[in-house]
Amino acid sequence: MTKATPAVKTVDKKTVSEIFRRFQEQNPAPRSELEYTNSYTLLVAVALSAQATDVGVNKATQKLFPLADTPEKMLELGEDGLRECIRTINYFNTKAKNVIALSEKLIENFGGKVPMDIDALQTLPGVGKKTASVVMNVAFNVPRIAVDTHIFRVANRIPLVHTRTPLETQAPLEKLIPKEYLLHAHHWMILHGRYVCKARKPECARCIISDLCRYPAKDILLSRMQITRPGRQSQQ
């Protein structure tokens, strides 16, 4: 029986602080790449973004939100009208049903307002822990980390944590990351995973934390590009 390869040791607390200090220095005020106008449209956009790209969702909501930016207007638009606006998004039929249902529940149970409560948000149709955490973080400035595939990948590559699924990654990350960085940590990690620490071809040569990262393949990737230090080419 082949022995499992030992996991790379997670970075220490001092390194964690330095990682997020650099993220903050590079991008002091990160923003969601989903377009929205209020807490309701943010909730809808995040619900639509499951199994879809932000670019694709934004393209659809540019047509949708001028027509329906409140639960009441969404119900007036109706499921057929909503479906027509979002038909380019994956699983648009199911998502249209959920958006109509959550709009009804917002009106019935919360006076048409998006509740600033993680548990209350998760009572809405189609809203799980990840969606609720994004809304709490972006709309209400509550320090939460909604772990998507990008954050899961980055957190386990560095590694900040060793986890098996995105769902079990949120709690240890929120406990680990220093409080002064926690509010924006969600966006820093998503943007890093989306544009630098990519799934198939991580761009270690331009990574601002490559000297702190313990990703096993990092040194191979750097040597291929003749990099001796993060962001610096070797002297010829």
Side-chain angles (χ1 to χ4, degrees), residues 30-32 36 42 116 118 121 130-146 170 174 181-188 190:
R31 292 177 55 84
S32 171
Y36 63 97
L42 173 65
M116 194 175 70
I118 191 76
L121 283 167
K130 176 187 166 185
T131 297
S133 293
V134 173
V135 173
M136 292 297 293
N137 180 259
V138 177
F140 303 121
N141 292 319
V142 176
R144 303 284 297 192
I145 299 180
Q170 181 171 343
E174 290 179 350
Y181 301 121
L182 194 53
L183 178 61
H184 295 311
H186 167 83
H187 287 118
W188 287 324
I190 283 181

Side-chain angles (χ1 to χ4, degrees), residues 136-232:
M136 292 297 293
N137 180 259
V138 177
F140 303 121
N141 292 319
V142 176
R144 303 284 297 192
I145 299 180
V147 180
D148 67 353
T149 55
H150 296 301
I151 292 180
F152 177 67
R153 179 174 65 255
V154 169
N156 280 274
R157 269 185 181 171
I158 293 174
L160 300 175
V161 295
H162 289 305
T163 53
R164 294 169 296 178
T165 66
L167 189 61
E168 70 179 41
T169 306
Q170 181 171 343
L173 276 184
E174 290 179 350
K175 183 178 180 180
L176 174 69
I177 297 170
K179 290 182 180 180
E180 62 265 36
Y181 301 121
L182 194 53
L183 178 61
H184 295 311
H186 167 83
H187 287 118
W188 287 324
M189 294 182 73
I190 283 181
L191 294 172
H192 188 65
R194 184 172 289 165
Y195 298 112
V196 181
C197 194
K198 302 173 184 177
R200 294 185 179 180
K201 294 183 178 180
E203 299 186 22
C204 299
R206 66 183 189 91
C207 174
I208 63 171
I209 62 167
S210 64
D211 57 319
L212 305 176
C213 175
R214 297 175 178 173
Y215 179 45
K218 177 195 68 177
D219 292 337
I220 297 173
L221 291 166
L222 288 173
S223 64
R224 284 177 181 173
M225 299 188 69
Q226 296 184 319
I227 300 296
T228 56
R229 291 184 180 181
R232 298 183 182 179

Side-chain angles (χ1 to χ4, degrees), residues 20-215:
F20 285 93
R21 185 198 68 77
R22 293 185 192 182
F23 283 153
Q24 182 183 60
E25 183 178 59
Q26 182 188 55
N27 187 0
R31 292 177 55 84
S32 171
E33 294 190 325
L34 285 172
E35 296 174 0
Y36 63 97
T37 58
N38 53 35
S39 58
Y40 173 71
T41 54
L42 173 65
L43 173 61
V44 172
V46 178
L48 294 177
S49 70
Q51 307 281 323
T53 66
D54 287 0
V55 172
V57 172
N58 290 339
K59 185 176 180 180
T61 57
Q62 284 171 2
K63 301 176 183 177
L64 173 63
F65 291 156
L67 300 174
D69 60 356
T70 67
E72 293 81 4
K73 290 179 182 178
M74 191 66 75
L75 294 186
E76 289 179 10
L77 180 63
E79 189 174 323
D80 289 341
L82 171 56
R83 189 183 297 113
E84 188 61 31
C85 289
I86 66 169
R87 62 185 307 108
T88 56
I89 300 175
N90 290 339
Y91 309 110
F92 68 92
N93 283 316
T94 299
K95 290 177 180 179
K97 291 179 181 178
N98 285 337
V99 169
I100 292 297
L102 72 81
S103 299
E104 291 175 340
K105 195 157 188 176
L106 283 174
I107 294 170
E108 293 172 2
N109 296 356
F110 303 104
K113 305 295 183 183
V114 176
M116 194 175 70
D117 181 275
I118 191 76
D119 294 323
L121 283 167
Q122 291 181 81
T123 66
L124 300 173
V127 178
K129 187 176 182 180
K130 176 187 166 185
T131 297
S133 293
V134 173
V135 173
M136 292 297 293
N137 180 259
V138 177
F140 303 121
N141 292 319
V142 176
R144 303 284 297 192
I145 299 180
V147 180
D148 67 353
T149 55
H150 296 301
I151 292 180
F152 177 67
R153 179 174 65 255
V154 169
N156 280 274
R157 269 185 181 171
I158 293 174
L160 300 175
V161 295
H162 289 305
T163 53
R164 294 169 296 178
T165 66
L167 189 61
E168 70 179 41
T169 306
Q170 181 171 343
L173 276 184
E174 290 179 350
K175 183 178 180 180
L176 174 69
I177 297 170
K179 290 182 180 180
E180 62 265 36
Y181 301 121
L182 194 53
L183 178 61
H184 295 311
H186 167 83
H187 287 118
W188 287 324
M189 294 182 73
I190 283 181
L191 294 172
H192 188 65
R194 184 172 289 165
Y195 298 112
V196 181
C197 194
K198 302 173 184 177
R200 294 185 179 180
K201 294 183 178 180
E203 299 186 22
C204 299
R206 66 183 189 91
C207 174
I208 63 171
I209 62 167
S210 64
D211 57 319
L212 305 176
C213 175
R214 297 175 178 173
Y215 179 45

